[in-house]
Amino acid sequence: GGVKMDGELTQGLLGVQEREEAMGSSLDSISEGLGRLRGIAIDMHSEVQVQHVMLDEIADKADSAQHQLLGTNRRLTDVLERAGGGAQVWVNILLVVLLLSLLAYIYTTLHNRDAPTTN
């Protein structure tokens, strides 16, 4: 003999089948979403690699600029030391100005002393 299915059993099996179809549809949607997420993750990975290369280039350029700046600073320091130091240059300029002022005062004083007075 055959198995006789009653209405309740048939309804129960149809309900199970509908739930399986709904779960299959949900799993398809989840699979599509995971595929999109995988694509996004691959794109993000590529972008991170590109930015990593860019950051390395920026770091190399910054190192180069720092070395150039240090070299320029070292050369400037050498020039100032040969000139007697940065502060010494200003001291020398001040002394020259004072010396010229003193010479002008002496010249003016001597010149006025030797000039004939008119009374």
Side-chain angles (χ1 to χ4, degrees), residues 61-80:
K61 288 179 182 179
D63 287 343
S64 175
Q66 181 182 11
H67 289 301
Q68 288 177 348
L69 184 59
L70 289 174
T72 301
N73 190 27
R74 190 171 29 255
R75 288 190 302 275
L76 182 58
T77 301
D78 291 344
V79 167
L80 286 175

Side-chain angles (χ1 to χ4, degrees), residues 85-114:
Q88 187 63 38
V89 169
W90 289 109
V91 168
N92 290 342
I93 290 172
L94 181 61
L95 288 175
V96 167
V97 169
L98 288 174
L99 180 62
L100 290 175
S101 299
L102 181 61
L103 289 174
Y105 174 76
I106 292 171
Y107 174 78
T108 303
T109 302
L110 291 176
H111 184 66
N112 286 342
R113 189 184 71 170
D114 292 337

